[in-house]
């Protein structure tokens, strides 16, 4: 399949998004010889990276939920304009660590702002530029947090300071979002090893790329 493709990877803390993006990019190139561009949210471009620092700074514990949601949407807009939209117009494959669904699960559901309200903020920010496919890494939050504690090289951010009940709500939020967008989102079991997870992901990506 030719043409630009937008794939997003979602999941709670410690779900293994970074590892999957790296291995999935390698798999796509091996099978199709098409290179991918990996990016992340919030971030990916200088302005959005600056917003990321504000959002995830462990000192900013007083950040109000709506402020948080608006900052994510603002960073998302800049990232779309500078990276995603131009790449899609040039027939590239974009794989992004987090996108709108993170805001729906974290701010919409777990923070209690309401999925519909956060969705409207992001519809304005994205102009309805949505992924062709979203892979959601489903994992018990306790396991995810234990992975973070065991990874000495991972950055500790403000969301890591939240208690277990918050992360359980995030998971509930993702499952609710999955119900709302069943045609776009595919749930993967993230409890296995990286090879098993990339095999699960490839089943869905292969269909998108029309690879036999």
């Amino acid at each position: 399949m030719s043409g630009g493709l937008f794939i997003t990877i979602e999941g709670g803390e410690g779900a293994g998004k970074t590892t999957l993006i790296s291995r999935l990019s390698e798999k796509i190139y091996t099978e199709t010889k098409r290179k991918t561009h990996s990016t992340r949210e919030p971030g990916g471009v200088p302005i959005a990276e600056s917003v990321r620092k504000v959002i995830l700074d462990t000192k900013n514990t007083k950040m109000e939920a709506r402020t948080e949601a608006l900052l994510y949407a603002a960073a998302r807009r800049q990232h779309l304009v500078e990276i995603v939209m131009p790449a899609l117009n040039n027939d590239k494959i974009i794989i992004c660590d987090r996108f709108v669904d993170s805001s729906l699960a974290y701010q919409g559901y777990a923070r209690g702002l309401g999925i519909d309200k956060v969705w409207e903020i992001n519809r304005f920010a994205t102009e309805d530029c949505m992924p062709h496919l979203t892979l959601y890494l489903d994992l018990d939050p306790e396991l995810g947090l234990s992975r973070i504690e065991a990874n000495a090289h991972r950055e500790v951010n403000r969301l890591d300071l939240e208690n277990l009940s918050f992360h359980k709500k995030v998971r509930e939020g993702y499952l609710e979002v999955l119900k709302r967008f069943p045609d776009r989102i595919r749930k993967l079991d993230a409890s296995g090893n990286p090879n098993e997870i990339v095999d699960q992901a490839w089943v869905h990506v292969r269909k998108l790329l029309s690879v036999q």
Side-chain angles (χ1 to χ4, degrees):
M1 179 179 179
S2 60
L5 293 174
F6 186 19
I7 301 171
T8 56
I9 311 297
E10 294 283 356
E13 309 306 308
K17 299 185 305 300
T18 302
T19 300
L20 175 59
I21 289 172
S22 175
R23 298 199 177 200
L24 184 58
S25 296
E26 293 175 0
K27 182 73 172 178
I28 291 173
Y29 182 74
T30 299
E31 298 291 338
T32 69
K33 300 307 177 191
R34 292 187 68 181
K35 294 182 179 180
T36 61
H37 178 83
S38 300
T39 186
R40 70 175 183 177
E41 282 203 351
V45 296
I47 292 175
E49 288 289 341
S50 295
V51 177
R52 179 188 181 89
K53 291 179 182 178
V54 174
I55 294 173
L56 299 182
D57 192 328
T58 55
K59 297 178 182 178
N60 291 334
T61 55
K62 293 184 179 181
M63 186 177 295
E64 197 267 340
R66 292 193 185 202
T67 301
E68 185 180 65
L70 289 166
L71 285 173
Y72 272 114
R76 180 163 298 129
R77 175 63 186 178
Q78 193 65 33
H79 179 246
L80 271 174
V81 170
E82 287 196 49
I83 295 292
V84 178
M85 291 176 175
L88 293 176
N89 289 334
N90 284 284
D91 298 337
K92 294 182 179 179
I93 299 175
I94 291 284
I95 303 181
C96 188
D97 183 340
R98 298 195 181 282
F99 193 59
V100 170
D101 301 305
S102 283
S103 290
L104 301 182
Y106 279 80
Q107 287 77 50
Y109 191 93
R111 298 286 192 213
L113 293 180
I115 289 177
D116 290 333
K117 287 185 177 180
V118 175
W119 172 237
E120 285 306 311
I121 292 171
N122 281 278
R123 285 192 67 182
F124 174 76
T126 63
E127 292 185 291
D128 292 327
C129 178
M130 293 294 288
H132 296 93
L133 173 68
T134 297
L135 300 173
Y136 162 57
L137 296 172
D138 184 52
L139 185 69
D140 186 313
E142 291 187 63
L143 178 55
L145 294 176
S146 69
R147 287 178 177 179
I148 291 174
E149 291 179 2
N151 186 355
H153 301 291
R154 184 188 183 277
E155 66 173 355
V156 176
N157 62 57
R158 188 171 56 85
L159 294 177
D160 296 330
L161 304 180
E162 297 287 350
N163 58 34
L164 180 59
S165 63
F166 173 80
H167 293 287
K168 287 183 176 180
K169 286 183 180 179
V170 169
R171 187 186 191 188
E172 292 173 4
Y174 270 121
L175 294 175
E176 179 61 33
V177 173
L178 174 62
K179 293 177 184 177
R180 297 190 179 212
F181 302 100
D183 295 334
R184 172 174 58 83
I185 305 175
R186 298 290 178 266
K187 184 174 75 169
L188 309 182
D189 179 358
S191 64
N193 65 56
N195 289 332
E196 293 172 340
I197 297 171
V198 77
D199 286 343
Q200 292 180 64
W202 180 242
V203 170
H204 304 294
V205 174
R206 181 177 61 194
K207 293 178 182 177
L208 186 65
L209 295 170
S210 300
V211 176
Q212 299 299 320

